[in-house]
Amino acid sequence: MKENEKLLFKALCKFKNDFKDPSLIEFASPAVLGHLFFNRMQGIAYDTLKKNGFLGKVNREFRNSLGAAFDQNAKKNESFRQCVSMLSDLLSAVDCKVAMLKGAYLCNHYPDGYRTSNDVDLLVSPKDVTKIGNLLLGAGFKQGNIRNREFVPATRQEIIESKMMRGETVPYILEVGLPFMRFFEVDINFSLDYKNSDADILSDMLSKVCIKAEKDISIPTLCDEDFFIHLCAHLYKEATTLPWIEMRRDMTLYKYCDIYMLLSEMSDEKLDRIFERAYALGMEKICAYCILETMDLFDMNNKLAHDRATSALVGDTDFCLKVISPKDKKNLIYKTASATERFFMSSRADDLKEVNVNEKA
């Protein structure tokens, strides 16, 4: 992409910011359109153009593609909202702590048409996995996967191996037949996959589960601090693990947009509470990573967030560049420091070099 195309792409994604340079509109190219769809930002881009009065100034195909995607997102959001409401009602009957993660809350918190999701991730204690699983099975869910848009039942071996090896169950899937959402998927997670004392952290987080109301739906989820920290941990794991980088699924921008939105809405007091909680959980570096990368990608100017994040990385200034290869237990590091520059690379894997654990970039 050319430099002005990159600037336009970013401007269309920064829905919390003013569109400061209307001259960028002339760079609404096929490359920009492709990047918006590839990064699941097409709905946001359409509404950014609409709110700023720029829809009539871009190419018809550019405008119509984004408009159709926005409409589809809005209809899919409504279908997803029905599913989340149904699941919330179902879970209200159980006597154990359950938290809906990520999209279940975020899709309802964003304006309609901005973010979509096909599934809901549940966080539960290991001792409650069977109870929640039986609840879903009793409601008509079946364990399996969607392949080529069709449901494929899981084998007994797959069900056992997923529980033993991945800290999550094989997805529970219900055919709902709603607009743009034929199947509704629920994943049960019973491991955070963060670090040592995982069980203690999980128990602590679940003890603080709360109910949030979004668009008339009551959603059981993590408290504000833990929700943000968990979101950061999920993003960090995917962005810094070599297989995700090789699949080009490491920096899909909608995941950073979640952090951008929440950070944009955050008071200084809430940010302080998040870092206080992150330090208590040993997650301060991961939060710092996500905040600094997001601030770079979305050109955010938040001095307190920047200062708290850089302070958390004192003594480990290369933390944001580190990548692991689980298969061969290799440590890698990016040669390019800028998150924005890495984002637009055709192959981020080519920017990595192998290092010893104690080596500096």
Side-chain angles (χ1 to χ4, degrees):
M1 289 177 74
K2 298 175 183 177
E3 191 58 33
N4 283 327
E5 291 174 325
K6 295 176 184 178
L7 292 174
L8 174 61
F9 170 83
K10 293 181 73 170
L12 291 174
C13 295
K14 294 185 288 186
F15 71 97
K16 289 284 189 179
N17 298 63
D18 294 329
F19 200 109
K20 296 179 179 178
D21 189 358
S23 68
L24 291 173
I25 291 299
E26 66 179 278
F27 300 99
S29 66
V32 174
L33 186 64
H35 263 69
L36 290 169
F37 275 86
F38 190 82
N39 287 279
R40 290 172 58 177
M41 299 297 292
Q42 64 271 34
I44 288 174
Y46 176 79
D47 206 44
T48 298
L49 289 171
K50 182 179 179 181
K51 287 189 300 185
N52 287 278
F54 295 147
L55 282 176
K57 297 182 179 182
V58 296
N59 175 277
R60 183 184 67 176
E61 302 308 325
F62 193 99
R63 175 178 64 248
N64 289 348
S65 296
L66 293 181
F70 180 87
D71 291 341
Q72 179 176 320
N73 280 3
K75 291 173 183 175
K76 187 173 182 179
N77 279 155
E78 179 54 37
S79 295
F80 185 66
R81 197 152 39 241
Q82 291 181 47
C83 291
V84 171
S85 180
M86 174 269 291
L87 181 61
S88 181
D89 289 344
L90 197 61
L91 294 173
S92 66
V94 298
D95 59 354
C96 59
K97 296 285 188 178
V98 185
M100 294 188 188
L101 306 171
K102 300 182 298 181
Y105 169 73
L106 291 168
C107 285
N108 290 293
H109 187 66
Y110 275 101
D112 284 341
Y114 275 38
R115 191 191 194 282
T116 62
S117 181
N118 293 314
D119 60 7
V120 169
D121 288 292
L122 298 180
L123 185 65
V124 305
S125 171
K127 65 182 176 59
D128 295 321
V129 172
T130 300
K131 181 185 295 185
I132 300 300
N134 287 339
L135 181 74
L136 295 174
L137 292 173
F141 286 80
K142 298 177 182 178
Q143 284 188 275
N145 293 279
I146 304 301
R147 297 196 178 107
N148 299 320
R149 299 189 177 186
E150 296 295 332
F151 175 74
V152 179
T155 65
R156 178 171 175 77
Q157 183 177 355
E158 287 173 334
I159 291 173
I160 293 172
E161 285 181 352
S162 182
K163 251 186 179 181
M164 296 289 290
M165 304 296 292
R166 305 209 321 257
E168 62 183 16
T169 62
V170 169
Y172 289 80
I173 296 172
L174 181 68
E175 185 164 2
V176 290
L178 293 170
F180 299 104
M181 197 168 186
R182 180 181 170 189
F183 296 102
F184 176 47
E185 178 178 322
V186 177
D187 298 316
I188 302 177
N189 300 269
F190 51 92
S191 172
L192 294 168
D193 196 27
Y194 289 171
K195 54 182 296 180
N196 295 335
S197 302
D198 184 75
D200 293 337
I201 296 175
L202 175 60
S203 178
D204 192 7
M205 283 187 166
L206 287 173
S207 72
K208 295 179 172 65
V209 166
C210 62
I211 303 294
K212 293 183 180 179
E214 288 286 343
K215 295 185 172 73
D216 298 323
I217 302 174
S218 296
I219 303 168
T221 189
L222 300 174
C223 70
D224 289 348
E225 294 81 10
D226 288 351
F227 186 92
F228 186 83
I229 291 169
H230 178 271
L231 202 60
C232 287
H234 186 78
L235 187 158
Y236 173 79
K237 180 181 177 182
E238 294 182 351
T240 62
T241 305
L242 184 59
W244 285 84
I245 295 169
E246 291 174 332
M247 290 186 291
R248 291 187 58 78
R249 294 178 61 192
D250 55 316
M251 290 186 76
T252 314
L253 197 66
Y254 81 93
K255 293 179 283 191
Y256 293 86
C257 192
D258 293 342
I259 303 294
Y260 160 72
M261 176 179 67
L262 295 177
L263 197 57
S264 297
E265 299 170 351
M266 203 175 288
S267 66
D268 289 351
E269 292 76 14
K270 180 175 282 190
L271 182 65
D272 283 335
R273 289 198 300 273
I274 283 173
F275 268 101
E276 181 181 348
R277 177 67 166 159
Y279 273 101
L281 297 174
M283 301 284 288
E284 70 278 3
K285 289 184 180 181
I286 287 174
C287 282
Y289 169 93
C290 293
I291 288 172
L292 291 174
E293 297 284 284
T294 299
M295 289 183 69
D296 186 323
L297 289 166
F298 285 87
D299 304 314
M300 298 182 73
N301 182 21
N302 184 326
K303 186 177 185 304
L304 179 62
H306 182 271
D307 290 348
R308 293 303 305 266
T310 51
S311 176
L313 297 180
V314 168
D316 197 357
T317 53
D318 296 330
F319 186 82
C320 290
L321 304 176
K322 294 177 180 178
V323 168
I324 60 167
S325 175
K327 181 180 178 181
D328 47 23
K329 294 181 170 55
K330 287 183 179 179
N331 297 283
L332 308 162
I333 198 162
Y334 279 114
K335 292 177 281 187
T336 302
S338 166
T340 295
E341 287 184 38
R342 281 185 269 116
F343 175 80
F344 286 110
M345 286 178 176
S346 58
S347 174
R348 283 183 286 277
D350 291 342
D351 194 58
L352 291 166
K353 66 175 182 178
E354 186 178 349
V355 292
N356 295 323
V357 175
N358 298 318
E359 183 180 337
K360 297 292 183 182

